[in-house]
Amino acid sequence: MIRSQVGGLCYRVRNERAEILLVTTRGAGRWIIPKGWPLAGETAGASALQECWEEAGVVGTLSGSALGAFTYVKDRAEDDHPHSVTVFPVKVKRLEDKYPEAKQRRRKWFSTAKAAQRVTEPELRQILAAFEPTRF
């Protein structure tokens, strides 16, 4: 059984170049985009935006439709099902210092190329490497 999640590709433009915000996973400390379960009664995009707030302190807006999806298997033995994450672009207005998972994760800005190198999921690498905010 494949489980469906949503995620936000959080970005900003500095000196005409896109930067991507990545966060660490709580367990292994790997770099990833903010992601999680869809919220009941919310759209997939709104759910992704909520995950960006909870995991990275992002205050921003959805800036388009889904960019694609990637699959992964969680690092924990109790959840070995594959997960499919639909990725939405999120334009970051600002980052807050106080947010729900501030003490559980690190966050850092990367160029699109460096962000693609930091993540382990091949499909997410492709989404990050191909991202062009001028489309939005």
Side-chain angles (χ1 to χ4, degrees):
M1 172 175 75
I2 296 178
R3 297 185 176 174
S4 296
Q5 292 189 306
V6 294
L9 190 160
C10 302
Y11 74 94
R12 68 183 180 188
V13 178
R14 287 270 170 105
N15 301 319
E16 299 181 21
R17 300 177 88 181
E19 293 181 335
I20 307 296
L21 185 70
L22 297 180
V23 297
T24 54
T25 59
R26 286 186 286 202
R30 293 180 301 103
W31 291 106
I32 191 72
I33 63 170
K35 61 179 175 41
W37 304 109
L39 299 170
E42 294 289 344
T43 65
S47 296
L49 199 56
Q50 180 65 28
E51 289 299 325
C52 294
W53 160 249
E54 291 177 8
E55 295 185 6
V58 167
V59 176
T61 56
L62 289 175
S63 63
S65 57
L67 298 168
F70 69 95
T71 55
Y72 77 101
V73 176
K74 286 191 180 264
D75 296 337
R76 299 183 299 238
E78 71 272 8
D79 188 359
D80 61 354
H81 296 307
H83 294 67
S84 177
V85 181
T86 302
V87 179
F88 293 87
V90 174
K91 186 170 186 175
V92 177
K93 291 181 181 179
R94 70 179 184 278
L95 296 177
E96 295 289 339
D97 292 330
K98 294 181 181 180
Y99 55 97
E101 297 182 18
K103 294 182 179 171
Q104 301 169 14
R105 301 177 186 273
R106 290 187 306 137
R107 61 185 181 188
K108 186 175 179 180
W109 291 103
F110 294 94
S111 68
T112 54
K114 292 260 190 223
Q117 291 172 356
R118 295 280 194 250
V119 300
T120 58
E121 298 81 4
E123 297 156 316
L124 180 55
R125 280 186 178 155
Q126 291 175 346
I127 292 169
L128 293 172
F131 181 69
E132 295 180 30
T134 55
R135 293 185 6 215
F136 305 102

